[in-house]
Amino acid sequence: TRLQGDWSSDVCSSDLAALADALQQLPAIGRECLLLHAVGELSFPEIADLLDIPTNTAMSHARRARLQLQQVLAPRPEARP
């Protein structure tokens, strides 16, 4: 099933479900930092102020979360029969 809207012309609902599942696997603080930066478009100093953590810590949490997300969502080689 394809979702409607300009931003989602190449995104199907199964992709979004996989992304939502992968995001839930991240530690909460990393997920928050990543989403606040990537989706909320907040700067790392703004995220740090909001979460009451140092700016470098917010950056580290977001980076770690992004790397974990990439690993979870990376295509897996298909098993050979």
Side-chain angles (χ1 to χ4, degrees):
T1 305
R2 293 243 179 235
L3 300 177
Q4 301 302 312
D6 293 338
W7 64 272
S8 62
S9 61
D10 292 329
V11 178
C12 57
S13 58
S14 63
D15 292 338
L16 290 177
L19 177 59
D21 184 52
L23 285 168
Q24 288 303 313
Q25 294 178 42
L26 299 175
I29 187 71
R31 181 175 55 245
E32 287 178 297
C33 291
L34 179 64
L35 291 176
L36 286 171
H37 184 68
V39 179
E41 297 182 352
L42 272 66
S43 69
F44 286 112
E46 291 171 320
I47 294 168
D49 286 343
L50 183 67
L51 299 179
D52 196 28
I53 59 176
T55 300
N56 286 341
T57 302
M59 293 170 68
S60 294
H61 284 302
R63 183 175 190 282
R64 238 178 272 129
R66 187 177 66 251
L67 292 173
Q68 288 174 316
L69 198 59
Q70 287 174 340
Q71 287 180 336
V72 171
L73 295 174
R76 306 241 190 272
E78 293 185 27
R80 295 183 183 201

